[in-house]
């Protein structure tokens, strides 16, 4: 793998995969430009080094067809402003060769949404998995995906992947395109490098004690991560909606609280695994319960396992918050994914706030803290603590898969020799 700081971009065309999948309002205005800002260090570095930039991204899920509302044309002006150069636009990402050839050093071209071609994702369209012809269609699509990636590759002398958000996908622009470059001419961008390093701190370069906090609504969607973390952490806090699956599994009364009844055995197994592996499993003891699922519902504090029939747990209670904070404040490595309650309701944010504040405190005392997943990031922003944690990940799914211990195709492809 080449290194973005050492690579000589002067006079070369770099094709750079970024994640410009930004939210737009109904008039096509960008409502949150975090992702554009995230890619700027890499893009600016290449331009300042005298390179020519071909920028490529997806937006939304157009499923292989042109759709005005997903056109990247809408963001050209914003990208130009952010980059400080007049960014050109290629309205068809697979027919941009002439425009690429016309680029001069220090100029940039943004390709239209890659996902207007089904080849980008490489999944056969209009055919179900149980169709006898599916396997043949899949094979045919893989070939088309490789051809499409070859077109993208032909635009550049080198390939830079700075789209961590899609690094867990083996798409034409995130992985297959890299097969066309030798390792001296492909590299990770700054954002990707930072993300990969942050994950490495959590998985391989752990300072102890290590406390992981997993929250959110369900245990089933987090089980892969919980199991992988079980071999690494000292303290594992499980909170949020999954609290009640654990409480019920242990014979508790949980009223109307959210619960996965088919995961009660799984919950007991997690408790058993934690004991066997010497992990301090922190499940909390009390909850803020509500008589309705809304912000203005009546609320009171109650033990997690004695919730009245018509009530439901919507947040962690004061005792739980104390035990969470203890396990967090003493830690030297911290991972947080998923809120401790229904943080969207302002009256049920206390548990998540206690976690966020404890993380900020531990970070001030020298811990490395990584916050990932849209909801925890939203929490940390809501509480104004974003600048008091070590790292906030931009990649939801990619981060979770990395923490599960899965290799990310986008990273693997950068490290492998040229095969096409
Ligand atoms: P996830 O997508 O699994 O990470 O879950 C995030 C969602 O979990 C957020 O929308 C929270 O509102 C929700 N959540 C957290 N705690 C609870 C709870 N006690 N009851 C219902 N939903 C919850």
């Amino acid at each position: 793998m080449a290194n973005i700081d050492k690579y000589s971009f002067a006079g070369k065309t770099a094709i750079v995969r970024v994640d410009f999948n930004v939210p737009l309002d109904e008039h096509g205005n960008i409502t949150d430009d975090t992702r554009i800002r995230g890619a700027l260090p890499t893009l600016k570095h290449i331009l300042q080094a005298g390179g020519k930039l071909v920028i490529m991204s997806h937006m939304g899920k157009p499923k292989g067809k042109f759709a005005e509302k997903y056109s990247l044309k809408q963001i050209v002006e914003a990208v130009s402003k952010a980059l400080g150069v007049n960014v050109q636009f290629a309205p068809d990402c697979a027919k941009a060769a002439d425009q690429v050839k016309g680029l001069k050093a220090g100029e940039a071209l943004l390709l239209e949404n890659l996902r207007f071609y089904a080849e980008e994702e490489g999944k056969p369209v209009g055919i179900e998995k149980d169709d006898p012809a599916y396997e043949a269609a899949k094979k045919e699509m893989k070939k088309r995906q490789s051809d499409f990636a070859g077109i993208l590759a032909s635009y550049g002398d080198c390939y830079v992947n700075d789209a961590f958000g899609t690094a867990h996908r083996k798409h034409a622009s995130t992985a297959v395109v890299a097969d066309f470059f030798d390792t001296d001419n492909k590299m990770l961008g700054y954002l990707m490098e930072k993300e990969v390093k942050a994950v490495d701190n959590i998985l391989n370069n752990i300072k102890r004690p290590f406390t992981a906090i997993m929250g959110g609504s369900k245990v089933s969607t987090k089980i892969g991560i919980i199991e992988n973390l079980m071999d690494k952490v000292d303290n594992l806090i499980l909170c949020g909606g999954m609290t009640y699956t654990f409480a019920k599994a242990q014979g508790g009364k949980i009223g109307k609280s959210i619960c996965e009844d088919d995961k009660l055995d799984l919950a007991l197994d997690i408790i058993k695994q934690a004991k066997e592996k010497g992990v301090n499993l922190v499940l909390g003891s009390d909850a803020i319960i509500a008589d309705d699922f809304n912000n203005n519902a009546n609320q009171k504090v109650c033990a997690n396992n004695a919730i009245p029939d018509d009530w439901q747990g919507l947040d962690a209670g004061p005792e739980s918050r104390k035990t969470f904070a203890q396990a967090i404040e003493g830690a030297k490595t911290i991972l947080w994914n998923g809120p401790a309650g229904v943080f969207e309701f302002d009256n049920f944010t206390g548990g998540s706030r206690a976690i966020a504040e404890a993380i900020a405190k531990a970070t001030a005392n020298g811990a490395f803290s990584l916050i990932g997943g849209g909801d925890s990031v939203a929490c940390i922003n809501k509480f104004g603590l974003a600048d008091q944690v070590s790292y906030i990940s931009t990649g939801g799914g990619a981060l979770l898969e990395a923490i599960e211990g899965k290799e990310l195709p986008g990273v693997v492809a950068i490290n492998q020799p040229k095969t096409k």
Side-chain angles (χ1 to χ4, degrees):
M1 168 175 41
N3 179 295
I4 182 163
D5 278 320
K6 295 192 184 131
Y7 193 82
S8 167
F9 288 102
K12 295 201 181 121
T13 306
I15 48 163
V16 187
R17 175 57 155 104
V18 295
D19 180 2
F20 280 174
N21 183 25
V22 289
L24 302 176
D25 66 15
E26 65 273 29
H27 308 295
N29 300 312
I30 299 168
T31 53
D32 180 352
D33 68 349
T34 311
R35 286 177 171 154
I36 293 179
R37 284 188 283 112
L40 288 181
T42 294
L43 301 178
K44 283 188 171 168
H45 172 75
I46 295 170
L47 288 180
Q48 277 157 12
K52 308 170 196 179
L53 261 187
V54 177
I55 309 167
M56 52 183 184
S57 177
H58 76 283
M59 180 185 273
K61 294 186 173 157
K63 304 218 164 108
K65 275 201 296 264
F66 176 84
E68 195 84 50
K69 68 172 177 170
Y70 296 127
S71 173
L72 289 177
K73 194 164 187 204
Q74 302 170 94
I75 68 164
V76 177
E77 216 181 299
V79 177
S80 297
K81 224 168 154 189
L83 260 183
V85 299
N86 199 6
V87 176
Q88 300 164 41
F89 182 67
D92 185 333
C93 64
K95 296 191 179 105
D98 288 342
Q99 280 175 282
V100 173
K101 266 191 217 123
L103 284 174
K104 298 193 187 74
E107 290 187 347
L109 173 72
L110 174 66
L111 303 184
E112 179 58 290
N113 193 343
L114 297 158
R115 290 195 188 165
F116 287 168
Y117 281 85
E119 286 83 351
E120 164 63 358
E121 293 185 75
K123 272 189 266 167
V125 262
I127 182 161
E128 295 299 322
K129 275 194 178 142
D130 53 5
D131 191 309
Y134 183 80
E135 279 309 310
K138 200 168 130 190
K139 217 169 142 195
E140 158 71 13
M141 183 46 106
K142 283 283 154 216
K143 157 118 195 24
R144 278 170 48 192
Q145 185 185 47
S146 175
D147 293 346
F148 177 69
I151 293 173
L152 300 175
S154 73
Y155 297 156
D157 301 305
C158 62
Y159 168 68
V160 183
N161 189 349
D162 210 19
F164 186 72
T166 46
H168 58 315
R169 304 280 182 228
K170 198 171 176 172
H171 291 170
S173 69
T174 60
V176 187
V177 65
D179 295 343
F180 291 84
F181 292 89
D182 56 45
T183 43
D184 292 342
N185 288 310
K186 55 183 167 187
M187 66 211 90
L188 301 179
Y190 291 120
L191 183 66
M192 273 285 260
E193 266 183 356
K194 272 201 289 186
E195 295 274 358
V196 168
K197 186 158 181 292
V199 171
D200 191 57
N201 278 344
I202 291 291
L203 293 184
N204 306 315
N205 190 12
I206 305 164
K207 285 188 283 168
R208 299 203 173 271
F210 178 8
T211 296
I213 309 121
M214 303 300 297
S217 55
K218 294 173 179 173
V219 61
S220 56
T221 53
K222 304 276 160 86
I223 184 62
I225 299 167
I226 292 173
E227 287 189 330
N228 194 35
L229 286 174
M230 198 69 95
D231 291 321
K232 303 186 188 293
V233 297
D234 302 289
N235 304 301
L236 179 60
I237 298 172
L238 297 181
C239 54
M242 65 178 107
T243 304
Y244 310 99
T245 302
F246 281 87
K248 185 165 179 182
Q250 295 175 92
K253 275 182 67 216
I254 60 163
K256 278 193 188 161
S257 306
I258 185 170
C259 179
E260 289 177 284
D261 282 317
D262 58 340
K263 295 290 177 287
L264 300 179
D265 287 342
L266 179 69
L268 292 177
D269 187 53
I270 289 172
I271 294 172
K272 188 166 145 247
Q273 275 188 52
K275 266 199 197 117
E276 285 167 3
K277 293 184 173 168
V279 170
N280 174 32
L281 183 66
V282 183
L283 288 166
S285 50
D286 61 354
I288 305 291
I289 60 169
D291 61 356
D292 198 5
F293 188 79
N294 77 62
N295 188 42
N296 299 317
N298 292 307
Q299 54 167 268
K300 59 184 179 186
V301 176
C302 176
N304 282 344
N305 58 5
I307 300 175
D309 285 346
D310 284 335
W311 290 67
Q312 55 191 306
L314 294 189
D315 196 7
E319 281 305 316
S320 301
R321 293 177 201 179
K322 248 191 241 161
T323 33
F324 295 171
Q326 270 164 6
I328 294 167
E329 284 171 19
K332 285 282 171 256
T333 302
I334 301 166
L335 166 71
W336 181 24
N337 172 263
V342 184
F343 77 103
E344 296 92 336
F345 297 159
D346 282 344
N347 293 333
F348 297 91
T349 54
S352 301
R353 181 184 286 276
I355 288 173
E357 285 172 352
I359 295 176
K361 204 164 160 187
T363 311
N365 285 330
F368 174 81
S369 52
L370 168 57
I371 319 295
D375 288 329
S376 332
V377 176
C379 279
I380 212 93
N381 286 331
K382 186 167 179 157
F383 307 141
L385 294 169
D387 57 350
Q388 292 179 50
V389 298
S390 310
Y391 194 72
I392 295 182
S393 174
T394 57
L399 177 79
L400 298 187
E401 289 204 11
I403 297 171
E404 269 187 55
K406 292 185 187 158
E407 289 198 308
L408 302 177
V411 178
V412 172
I414 289 282
N415 287 311
Q416 270 172 356
K418 178 176 173 172
T419 55
K420 289 188 169 143

